[in-house]
Amino acid sequence: MATKKINNEDQLVEEAKLLWAQGQHEMVINLAKYISENRKMNEAAADVYRLVGKWLAETRSSNSRAILEKYLKNVVNLADKHQSTDKKSVARQGQTHFQLAHYADAVFRSYEERLTSNEWQAAMRLRKHKQDRDNFLSIALEGYKRCLVIGDKYDVRVVFRLVSLWFGLSTRQIVVDGMLSTIKEVQSCKFIPLVYHIASRLGSSKDSQGPNTFQVRTLEFTGVHRISLDKASLHMEF
């Protein structure tokens, strides 16, 4: 079968997608890397970086830090740098922040599981891996927040995940700081579907002790108070 002549980079990207669908993963990754390294740093290049990062993650062809730093963060930086108010650009920004956060979150969960394994703890130096774990968690929290600020496509998935992290890791300073920042910057109406669930935490004795207790309670009260005000405002409009 004769090879179709490729005239430009966009055609190369489409060719890469086709090869990926055919299972030619190694060839696709090499082709996509070539495109990303030789393409101008513009908004369109973000799609190439996104694809490379996605494919490397799916095939586990590179380590997590390299995928984040070289590809997924570049996607976010390019999308933010060339942002505009048109729907396509806003959607692209939301997608890039969500994908970065979602990947960092998945890596964080992997680290979390390994760090709770007795066998793994005995075999590894924990301090460095805890730092890596916390770094991925921080990236995920920031990415989820930006995703909520930018658009609404991923609201349900992101809100449920953030609240899950908040409740599950409420004594960790990274989570407390991340959620306080999120509550300040994100429209609280996005959390309305979970307002009763969040409110139920105020009377809970769980996590009632520890260095972050006051901050956790403040976070819970602030979140519920803002959401309640927004909910009341919505009812008044009708």
Side-chain angles (χ1 to χ4, degrees), residues 39-155:
R39 190 161 194 162
K40 291 182 179 179
M41 299 295 283
N42 53 29
E43 188 176 11
D47 286 335
V48 179
Y49 279 104
R50 179 180 60 80
L51 286 171
V52 177
K54 175 185 175 183
W55 290 337
L56 286 173
E58 288 184 11
T59 57
R60 298 183 179 181
S61 303
S62 184
N63 67 66
S64 303
R65 189 179 292 104
I67 293 173
L68 272 173
E69 297 294 334
K70 190 172 182 180
Y71 297 103
L72 298 183
K73 280 191 175 181
N74 262 332
V75 176
V76 169
N77 292 336
L78 285 169
D80 287 347
K81 184 178 179 181
H82 297 89
Q83 61 181 290
S84 65
T85 56
D86 68 89
K87 290 184 178 180
K88 185 176 180 180
S89 179
V90 171
R92 187 195 300 270
Q93 289 177 64
Q95 181 187 43
T96 57
H97 280 284
F98 176 77
Q99 289 179 336
L100 173 65
H102 187 65
Y103 180 71
D105 191 8
V107 178
F108 157 72
R109 281 180 283 183
S110 175
Y111 269 80
E112 189 83 337
E113 290 173 2
R114 282 183 286 174
L115 284 167
T116 57
S117 166
N118 291 332
E119 292 182 6
W120 200 82
Q121 286 187 31
M124 305 295 291
R125 294 181 179 179
L126 294 184
R127 178 175 294 182
K128 178 63 170 64
H129 291 278
K130 285 182 178 179
Q131 290 176 346
D132 287 342
R133 176 201 63 188
D134 291 345
N135 180 51
F136 286 120
L137 175 58
S138 180
I139 292 171
L141 290 168
E142 178 64 21
Y144 283 143
K145 179 185 73 175
R146 292 295 303 150
C147 185
L148 290 175
V149 169
I150 291 168
D152 56 13
K153 181 177 180 180
Y154 303 98
D155 281 1

Side-chain angles (χ1 to χ4, degrees), residues 6 34 90 156 163 177-179 182 184 190 197 206 210 232:
I6 306 300
Y34 169 80
V90 171
V156 175
V163 171
D177 292 343
M179 287 304 297
T182 296
K184 288 178 182 178
K190 295 194 174 190
H197 189 46
K206 185 180 179 181

